[in-house]
């Protein structure tokens, strides 16, 4: 029962094919090319390499954010189109949760952080308890220095991951204390993690409506804010 997983929440473009207990293939690339250039060719190549036909897919799991507004829209529209055309289920997987799911380390706090621009980050906190991933803090937008200082006050080790962990590596190292930068293979998003958590959601009976599934933005886009300012909305 292979499913296709897609993650385009940041500059990382990642697609994977997985069964319930095995990752068949994965392509993860971090370049300056846009997702509109890479995503469909990567999906076609992935299917070809794994020798899986589109008709054999049993579902699509897609990272729904938070993250890049444009990247999320591209990934989600692709996932919904495939699900609709192939008449298979689609499940939206929160990006930060998928990142934490890919790092099954008990006894620590997992702190995925993605860039929210202007010195801010999207952040959520997770932990593993008895083999299950638990959310400690839901996704918020917060200033990066304040976020790291708060994490440094935790009594347990905190594994910081995500593009912002890489961007602010120096701050993390300067603060030190209990903060640990995740290893390179888990510091960024991986579609295989989206597949793993997606399978778990599907097993729990989660199915999302192809027409109604929307990105999890957390905040409004800069374009929306600028439009409201120029048109005096809210004044």
């Amino acid at each position: 029962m292979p499913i296709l997983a897609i993650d385009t929440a940041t500059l990382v473009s990642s697609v994977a094919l997985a069964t319930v207990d095995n990752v068949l293939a994965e392509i993860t690339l971090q370049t300056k090319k846009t997702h509109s250039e890479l995503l469909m060719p990567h999906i076609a190549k992935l299917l070809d390499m794994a020798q899986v036909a589109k008709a054999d897919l049993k579902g699509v799991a897609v990272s729904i954010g938070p993250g890049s507004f444009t990247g999320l829209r591209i990934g989600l529209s692709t996932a919904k189109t495939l699900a609709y055309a192939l008449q298979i289920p689609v499940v939206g997987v929160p990006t930060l949760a998928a990142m934490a799911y890919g790092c099954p380390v008990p006894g620590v706090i997992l702190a995925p952080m993605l860039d929210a621009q202007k010195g801010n980050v999207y952040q959520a906190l997770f932990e593993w308890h008895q083999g299950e991933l638990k959310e400690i803090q839901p996704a918020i937008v917060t200033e990066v220095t304040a976020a790291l200082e708060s994490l440094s006050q935790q009594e347990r080790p905190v594994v910081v991951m995500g593009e912002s962990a890489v961007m602010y590596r120096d701050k993390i190292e300067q603060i030190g204390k209990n903060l640990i930068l995740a290893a390179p293979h888990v510091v960024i998003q991986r579609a295989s993690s989206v597949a793993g958590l997606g399978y778990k959601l599907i097993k729990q009976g989660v199915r999302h409506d192809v027409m109604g599934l929307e990105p999890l933005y957390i905040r409004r886009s800069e374009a929306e804010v600028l439009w409201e300012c120029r048109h005096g909305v809210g004044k």
Side-chain angles (χ1 to χ4, degrees):
M1 180 183 173
I3 67 169
L4 172 69
I6 298 170
D7 194 320
T8 56
T10 66
L11 290 177
V12 177
S13 177
S14 187
V15 291
L17 283 170
T19 63
V20 68
D21 55 8
N22 190 29
V23 177
L24 302 178
E26 182 179 35
I27 298 175
T28 299
L29 189 64
Q30 188 169 6
T31 70
K32 293 184 178 180
K33 289 188 176 182
T34 65
H35 294 301
S36 58
E37 296 177 87
L38 297 175
L39 186 54
M40 288 307 296
H42 280 180
I43 291 173
K45 186 173 184 178
L46 190 77
L47 292 168
D48 180 62
M49 289 191 304
Q51 297 184 325
V52 172
K54 286 183 181 179
D56 294 330
L57 294 175
K58 301 302 180 183
V60 183
V62 58
S63 176
I64 58 171
S68 160
F69 285 53
T70 300
L72 291 172
R73 286 194 291 267
I74 291 172
L76 189 55
S77 63
T78 301
K80 292 167 72 171
T81 298
L82 288 170
Y84 180 80
L86 299 173
Q87 293 296 292
I88 55 179
V90 61
V91 59
V93 178
T95 304
L96 300 175
M99 295 180 67
Y101 192 82
C103 188
V105 180
V108 304
I109 294 174
L110 300 171
M113 302 170 65
L114 298 179
D115 184 30
Q117 301 183 352
K118 298 182 179 180
N120 297 313
V121 294
Y122 300 110
Q123 181 197 62
L125 302 181
F126 302 87
E127 66 176 351
W128 285 89
H129 181 67
Q130 296 182 348
E132 296 290 331
L133 183 67
K134 304 294 183 182
E135 184 181 74
I136 302 173
Q137 173 196 290
I140 60 171
V141 178
T142 182
E143 196 274 327
V144 64
T145 301
L148 293 175
E149 289 289 353
S150 176
L151 292 175
S152 72
Q153 303 304 312
Q154 296 285 342
E155 296 181 355
R156 287 181 284 169
V158 178
V159 179
V160 188
M161 59 186 67
E163 61 180 357
S164 290
V166 177
M167 290 171 59
Y168 298 104
R169 178 194 301 267
D170 291 344
K171 284 183 178 290
I172 294 172
E173 293 177 347
Q174 182 180 1
I175 293 172
K177 297 183 181 180
N178 60 330
L179 301 185
I180 303 168
L181 182 66
H185 64 288
V186 293
V187 78
I188 60 173
Q189 306 93 268
R190 301 285 296 268
S192 53
S193 298
V194 175
L197 187 51
Y199 250 119
K200 190 173 185 65
L201 293 173
I202 290 173
K203 186 177 179 180
Q204 293 172 351
V206 176
R207 301 289 192 281
H208 291 125
D209 178 63
V210 172
M211 299 303 175
L213 182 60
E214 295 290 340
L216 181 63
Y217 288 132
I218 304 298
R219 65 172 181 83
R220 295 176 301 158
S221 69
E222 288 296 313
E224 290 175 305
V225 174
L226 287 173
W227 187 91
E228 291 185 358
C229 289
R230 289 170 180 170
H231 293 79
V233 175
K235 293 183 179 180

